Amino acid sequence: MLLDACVPSRLAGELPDHEVRTAPQMGWADLDDGPLLDAMAERFDVLVTVDKSLPKQQRIDDRPLAIVVLRPKTNRLADLLPHVSRLRAVLENARPGQVFEISG
């Protein structure tokens, strides 16, 4: 799974059952959404982001990955932590071309 550049890298520590990399680790921190999704193809199966506009601006259904959009109050780790249990559940069932939003 790839954490988008807008997601704190420390979130990876909350997902020990998954192989997690970050966009900055991959050298992709400055890529716009389309090029980022293209770069991810064949390397990652899920993108976790807080960019709620990404699914509206990019065609996802024909891509070989799923998108999980977290909708916390801010993108600080403290605001993301309450969403981790739902994120873990979504990751168990995520399939290519699907988009999931986790809010509340």
Side-chain angles (χ1 to χ4, degrees):
M1 139 185 11
L2 184 74
L3 299 182
D4 200 355
C6 55
V7 176
S9 61
R10 292 182 299 156
L11 185 64
E14 302 297 320
L15 303 165
D17 297 335
H18 298 276
E19 184 177 333
V20 182
R21 300 291 304 257
T22 68
Q25 285 174 328
M26 299 300 296
W28 300 339
D30 295 328
L31 291 181
D32 290 331
D33 294 339
L36 176 64
L37 295 175
D38 291 341
M40 288 181 62
E42 308 305 322
R43 294 182 184 189
F44 295 94
D45 53 4
V46 177
L47 172 66
V48 176
T49 186
V50 295
D51 181 356
K52 63 185 177 212
S53 64
L54 187 146
K56 296 173 184 74
Q57 296 174 347
Q58 299 295 319
R59 186 177 174 124
I60 305 301
D61 59 349
D62 63 346
R63 298 219 182 236
L65 53 100
I67 306 290
V68 180
V69 180
L70 301 175
R71 307 269 319 258
K73 189 166 72 170
T74 73
N75 67 340
R76 292 183 359 220
L77 183 62
D79 290 330
L80 290 166
L81 290 177
H83 300 286
V84 169
S85 63
R86 291 179 60 203
L87 174 58
R88 288 182 188 135
V90 164
L91 292 173
E92 295 302 316
N93 299 304
R95 300 290 175 259
Q98 293 181 313
V99 176
F100 299 90
E101 285 199 15
I102 299 174
S103 61

